[in-house]
Amino acid sequence: MKNKVFKDMSVQEKREKLRTVLCARTGCLLREEELDAIIRHTRLYKQYSILVYHNSRDMLDSIAANASYKAYFLVGSEAVKRGGLEDQLVAADSENKAISMIAKCMDSERRFIFIYIPRDRKEAFHSEHKTEKAVARL
């Protein structure tokens, strides 16, 4: 979507567009409260690149490899401070919570939403849908 088209949308349309894109990019693995929190903390006047990870190390490496960011962090649906992100990723895994970083590059206009979804959630989702498909075939 072009920035001009996005800018001309109402706030409600932008929220719905972001919700749709987040669901598509994450394979519908985010919980409703996590989606709501991301949308609530995202400034909707610009578009964002959305990066999804199922490996916490990959997410940390991606964040560290790029520019410095001004960012909000969410664990599940709760806003948290940046400090101790690695420990928060470990805790998120054990609690099966997603972690999101809504960020603006300090040296450019680029904006990102980094999303970490625990691998267990992905595996449980796919296992559940395989069972549903098998039952539907009976």
Side-chain angles (χ1 to χ4, degrees):
M1 177 179 290
K2 300 287 183 198
N3 268 333
K4 172 74 172 117
V5 174
F6 185 78
K7 283 182 181 181
D8 291 341
M9 296 172 107
S10 71
V11 172
Q12 185 58 34
E13 289 172 320
K14 290 177 184 178
R15 285 184 182 132
E16 287 306 313
K17 179 67 176 174
L18 180 56
R19 179 179 295 280
T20 300
V21 171
L22 287 169
C23 285
R25 293 293 313 230
T26 63
C28 296
L29 293 175
L30 291 173
R31 297 178 177 136
E32 279 301 313
E33 62 271 10
E34 293 167 341
L35 278 170
D36 291 341
I38 292 169
I39 293 166
R40 188 174 52 254
H41 286 88
T42 301
R43 300 187 72 183
L44 296 172
Y45 63 91
K46 296 278 186 176
Q47 288 184 284
Y48 289 74
S49 296
I50 299 170
L51 305 164
V52 179
Y53 302 89
H54 296 286
N55 179 303
S56 58
R57 178 53 45 200
D58 289 346
M59 181 175 167
L60 287 172
D61 290 347
S62 181
I63 291 169
N66 292 305
S68 60
Y69 300 101
K70 179 178 181 184
Y72 290 101
F73 290 88
L74 302 168
V75 174
S77 60
E78 301 295 319
V80 297
K81 300 218 183 293
R82 183 178 190 144
L85 182 59
E86 235 173 293
D87 292 337
Q88 292 172 17
L89 283 164
V90 170
D93 263 339
S94 67
E95 297 170 16
N96 203 18
K97 291 183 178 179
I99 290 188
S100 305
M101 177 178 141
I102 303 156
K104 180 198 176 300
C105 286
M106 296 300 286
D107 58 355
S108 74
E109 288 299 312
R110 297 186 68 200
R111 296 168 189 282
F112 296 91
I113 300 175
F114 294 88
I115 301 171
Y116 166 69
I117 301 172
R119 188 175 306 277
D120 289 347
R121 189 183 298 186
K122 181 179 178 184
E123 290 167 0
F125 179 83
H126 290 296
S127 174
E128 180 180 309
H129 285 312
K130 283 181 186 175
T131 302
E132 286 175 7
K133 287 179 184 177
V135 169
R137 280 187 241 146
L138 294 176

